[in-house]
Amino acid sequence: QVQLLESGGGLVQPGGSLRLSCAASGFTFSSYGLSWYRQAPGKERELVAHITSTGGTNYADSMKGRFTIARDNAKSTVYLQMDSLKPEDTAVYYCNVYITTSFRNSYYWGQGTQVTVSS
């Protein structure tokens, strides 16, 4: 069974940093790209960052220069390093993988981890 477990969220002051982790299991981790999404109250879930199976990355414009996505295939874990955090970064952050097989193409989500940026 595909499982994604986020951790590392918490309360941080504006300008601070957090490192989120997503531990994955139930699929061949190294074969897939993974993404971080976030959802704030009253907002739609939005893409934060993506890392491909080969390590290529892309970010939402507002994250460029502040957030860094990385992966450790040996640990089946994807990370999101968040620096220079802003109050508008407050959201639940979710790990995501889109898995394609011969019989099913599906998004999988973790339960999320809360990030609150406040003084």
Side-chain angles (χ1 to χ4, degrees):
Q1 296 180 344
V2 174
Q3 291 188 322
L4 302 170
L5 179 61
E6 302 94 338
S7 62
L11 176 64
V12 64
Q13 293 184 343
S17 298
L18 284 173
R19 188 195 194 200
L20 307 183
S21 299
C22 172
S25 61
F27 64 99
T28 304
F29 182 84
S30 62
S31 296
Y32 294 93
L34 296 102
S35 300
W36 285 97
Y37 284 75
R38 70 184 185 187
Q39 188 167 26
K43 303 286 187 178
E44 294 185 353
R45 191 169 297 186
E46 65 175 345
L47 177 68
V48 174
H50 179 80
I51 186 164
T52 71
S53 62
T54 54
T57 60
N58 59 76
Y59 303 89
D61 287 344
S62 63
M63 317 302 169
K64 292 178 181 177
R66 299 192 300 123
F67 290 10
T68 304
I69 189 170
R71 65 190 298 154
D72 185 339
N73 288 345
K75 296 182 178 180
S76 295
T77 300
V78 61
Y79 304 95
L80 184 68
Q81 177 68 43
M82 305 186 295
D83 299 316
S84 301
L85 284 163
K86 305 174 181 179
E88 52 263 44
D89 295 320
T90 296
V92 178
Y93 284 72
Y94 298 90
C95 184
N96 164 267
V97 62
Y98 183 66
I99 297 177
T100 59
T101 69
S102 61
F103 57 91
R104 187 182 301 274
N105 300 332
S106 299
Y107 285 99
Y108 294 88
W109 301 90
Q111 293 299 304
T113 185
Q114 176 72 48
V115 172
T116 302
V117 184
S118 176
S119 59

